[in-house]
């Protein structure tokens, strides 16, 4: 095969799921609605957490960071996919592809680590409530947030640089929603077997270790909840934890499929569907899952929106 120089002027062709589906217009409308839902719901949740003093506690600080990551994650992918579909132009420059990969990996890895820290927060709140403000002090909480961002940044930077250093074959067609490691490696003309092993090890580290920590936390939480004397206390604890477990299942299931399962289990169509789930669907649903059953968040949103409504009426 001929090789093509990997320069910033070179470009890839993204054959996205929007162009490769049987009903592209319907799918485009659905993706647009989900993206708007992600923007509005995550934006409102961030606004409520920022405006309400009662929500300035570790649980909601971590939840606010999750909303920020979801907002950035979906914005790295969705607008580009929609604009490309409407303009019927699916090219992305070499530099643009590298940037998109770096940002998507950063947001995804940061969210992966943050979800594990959120599980630890619930474990401390339910199993050690008297030590909660010590074990989850503002300093500890911000350390968790900083750790998520820094480790994700370093991992994403290393993987992006190494992935983009490979020589790519002449036909630069990426059959995927975004520039991501697995579909790009299929275009590489060099030997990628060692790097695929590194990706597997990184995937296990960034996915299976946090999952193990989450499972261990919730096993201990379950034992504690079962021994609670109050039915109301058990119900409240289970409702809070069920929201987190739903988000964990959606995110880790998709990410594990992409980065831990061997390449023989992958197909372009499956990979596209999985990528849509964690870059578009999950960011839209996460704030709804966390806020719908949370009376404090819903009450705060109503008060904040009420204030803005009154302010709008007074200015008109």
């Amino acid at each position: 095969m001929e090789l093509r120089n990997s320069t910033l002027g070179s470009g890839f062709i993204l054959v996205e799921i929007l162009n490769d589906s049987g009903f592209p217009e319907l799918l485009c409308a659905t993706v647009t609605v989900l993206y708007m839902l992600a923007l509005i719901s995550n934006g409102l949740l961030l606004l409520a957490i920022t405006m309400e003093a009662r929500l300035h506690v570790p649980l909601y600080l971590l939840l606010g960071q999750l909303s920020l990551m979801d907002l950035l994650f979906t914005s790295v992918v969705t607008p580009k996919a929609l604009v490309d579909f409407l303009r019927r132009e699916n090219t992305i420059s070499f530099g643009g592809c590298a940037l998109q990969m770096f940002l998507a990996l950063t947001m995804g890895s940061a969210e992966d680590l943050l979800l594990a820290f959120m599980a630890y927060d619930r474990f401390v709140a339910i199993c050690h409530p008297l030590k909660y403000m010590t074990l989850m002090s503002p300093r500890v909480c911000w350390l968790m947030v900083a750790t998520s961002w820094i480790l994700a940044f370093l991992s994403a930077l290393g993987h992006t640089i190494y992935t983009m250093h490979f020589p790519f074959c002449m036909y630069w067609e990426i059959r995927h929603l975004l520039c991501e490691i697995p579909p790009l490696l299929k275009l590489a003309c060099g030997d990628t077997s060692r790097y695929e092993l590194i990706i597997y090890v990184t995937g296990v580290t960034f996915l299976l270790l946090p999952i193990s920590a989450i499972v261990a936390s919730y096993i201990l939480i379950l034992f504690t909840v079962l021994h609670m004397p109050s039915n109301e206390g058990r119900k409240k604890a289970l409702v809070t934890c069920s929201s987190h477990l739903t988000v964990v299942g959606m995110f880790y299931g998709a990410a594990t499929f992409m980065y831990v399962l061997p390449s023989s289990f992958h197909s372009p169509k499956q990979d596209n569907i999985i990528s849509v789930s964690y870059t578009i669907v999950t960011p839209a649903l996460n704030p709804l899952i966390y806020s719908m059953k949370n009376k404090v968040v819903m009450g705060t949103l109503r008060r904040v929106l009420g204030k803005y409504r009154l302010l709008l009426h007074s200015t008109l």
Side-chain angles (χ1 to χ4, degrees), residues 1-7 10 12 94 160-172 183-192 195:
M1 277 190 181
E2 292 181 80
L3 299 184
R4 186 170 164 183
N5 291 331
S6 301
T7 63
S10 305
F12 293 95
F94 184 88
T160 301
I161 292 172
Y162 202 84
T163 300
M164 302 307 285
H165 99 284
F166 283 107
F168 295 105
C169 298
M170 188 69 180
Y171 195 55
W172 282 21
L184 270 170
L185 289 184
K186 292 178 181 178
L187 302 182
C189 291
D191 180 17
T192 63
Y195 183 49

Side-chain angles (χ1 to χ4, degrees), residues 191-244:
D191 180 17
T192 63
S193 56
R194 288 185 180 179
Y195 183 49
E196 287 179 16
L197 179 61
I198 293 173
I199 293 171
Y200 175 78
V201 172
T202 307
V204 169
T205 304
F206 265 83
L207 291 170
L208 297 189
L209 286 182
I211 288 175
S212 300
I214 291 169
V215 170
S217 296
Y218 277 100
I219 289 173
L220 294 172
I221 287 171
L222 182 61
F223 283 135
T224 303
V225 168
L226 291 176
H227 287 89
M228 283 182 176
S230 167
N231 286 330
E232 186 178 345
R234 279 200 297 269
K235 184 179 178 182
K236 184 178 179 181
L238 290 173
V239 166
T240 304
C241 294
S242 64
S243 300
H244 185 244

Side-chain angles (χ1 to χ4, degrees), residues 47-58:
L47 179 65
I49 292 170
T50 304
M51 298 287 292
E52 179 57 58
R54 287 191 303 165
L55 299 183
H56 295 171
V57 294

Side-chain angles (χ1 to χ4, degrees), residues 17 27 30-35 37-39 41-42 70 73-74 77-78 111 177 247 250-251 254 272-289:
I17 192 170
L27 188 57
T30 304
V31 169
T32 303
V33 170
L34 287 172
Y35 181 59
L37 180 61
L39 289 180
S41 56
N42 284 293
D70 279 337
F73 197 3
T74 192
V77 178
T78 314
E111 184 167 335
L177 179 68
V247 172
M250 290 167 54
F251 179 83
N272 256 319
I273 294 171
I274 294 296
S275 65
V276 166
S277 73
Y278 64 78
T279 60
I280 299 174
V281 178
T282 301
L285 297 182
N286 278 356
L288 300 179
I289 292 169

